[in-house]
Amino acid sequence: MRFEILYRYKVILWDFDGVIKESNQIKKKAYAKMFSRYGNYTLEKILDHHYHNGGISRENKIPLYFNKFVGIHLSPEEKDKKCMEYSKLVVQDVIKAPWVPGALDYLKSNNDKQRFVLITGTPESEIKEILKRLNIFEYFQNIYGSPISKVNAITNELNNGIKVKDCLFIGDSTTDYEAAKSFQISFLLRETEENKKLFLDYSGPRFYNFKDFYESN
């Protein structure tokens, strides 16, 4: 089936992990490596929170996990050190991770027909480095990463003259969906085996990979 939804909109708001790269499991494994020393019960609580809160920055998650689940309050310096530890665990593996099938082809074939905006919970400096090393940096007209939230990123785009009716948010987390919904922006779910349970009540459009959009009836 050919889905026309991708081509109805002038502006595509992209998440990164799980939408462009198959990198969600990499992030999960990094948290597991960081927190496994604190016991299985603590680790299960942390991974459960991570699962239900995809798209939220590590800069928020890491101090929360230490404070709420481990019982350690991190100083600002300690938080920065832990975030750097996490970054070292994930960057190279994210770059090497498989592409979501068809995502790179869609990015390359755009030819400035649509405005592409990347909105991710990854720190902005880190995601820009990743995009440059993947040779896709130039495909995005704007790039937002933490500490800017997804809601604030969308607000900035709208304040710069982008219209809600022209936007489509492609995401795979409830954070993505809630950000889009808060502005009544159309949402396209990239569905995976991992996020199916999170979207049982979601009735909007969804897809498994971008090749779906190029298949003919």
Side-chain angles (χ1 to χ4, degrees), residues 9 23 49 51 55-56 91 99 111 118 124 164 182 213:
Y9 298 92
S23 44
H49 181 278
Y51 173 71
I56 294 178
V91 169
W99 296 91
N111 295 323
L118 189 74
E124 189 167 306
V164 166
S182 66
F213 298 107

Side-chain angles (χ1 to χ4, degrees), residues 1 5 8 10 31 34 36 55 67 79 91 94 99 105-107 119 126 138 142 145 160 192 198 203 214:
M1 178 182 295
I5 186 170
R8 295 179 196 161
K10 297 178 182 178
Y31 283 116
M34 285 185 68
S36 60
N67 188 36
K79 186 194 85 167
V91 169
V94 168
W99 296 91
D105 292 335
Y106 178 39
L107 288 168
I119 302 177
E126 182 176 304
E138 67 275 14
N142 223 339
N160 286 332
T192 65
L198 297 176
S203 59
Y214 304 108

Side-chain angles (χ1 to χ4, degrees), residues 150-164:
K150 298 196 175 190
V151 168
N152 286 341
I154 295 172
T155 298
N156 190 65
E157 288 295 302
L158 297 177
N159 287 342
N160 286 332
I162 302 300
K163 297 179 180 178
V164 166

Side-chain angles (χ1 to χ4, degrees), residues 145-210:
S146 67
I148 299 174
S149 70
K150 298 196 175 190
V151 168
N152 286 341
I154 295 172
T155 298
N156 190 65
E157 288 295 302
L158 297 177
N159 287 342
N160 286 332
I162 302 300
K163 297 179 180 178
V164 166
K165 68 180 180 63
D166 293 332
C167 295
L168 174 70
F169 197 132
I170 307 177
D172 71 324
S173 71
T174 54
T175 304
D176 299 330
Y177 177 56
E178 292 299 330
K181 190 167 69 170
S182 66
F183 295 94
Q184 296 185 316
I185 286 174
S186 298
F187 184 74
L188 176 60
L189 172 66
R190 195 272 163 135
E191 188 174 61
T192 65
E193 291 301 319
E194 289 75 27
N195 70 9
K196 275 185 176 180
K197 291 182 180 179
L198 297 176
F199 286 92
L200 292 176
D201 296 327
Y202 173 76
S203 59
R206 64 186 73 203
F207 71 106
Y208 280 99
N209 64 69
F210 286 91

Side-chain angles (χ1 to χ4, degrees), residues 81-99:
K81 184 177 179 180
K82 292 296 183 182
C83 287
M84 183 59 67
E85 177 186 341
Y86 180 93
S87 180
K88 289 178 180 178
L89 290 172
V90 301
V91 169
Q92 191 57 39
D93 285 343
V94 168
I95 291 168
K96 293 190 296 184
W99 296 91

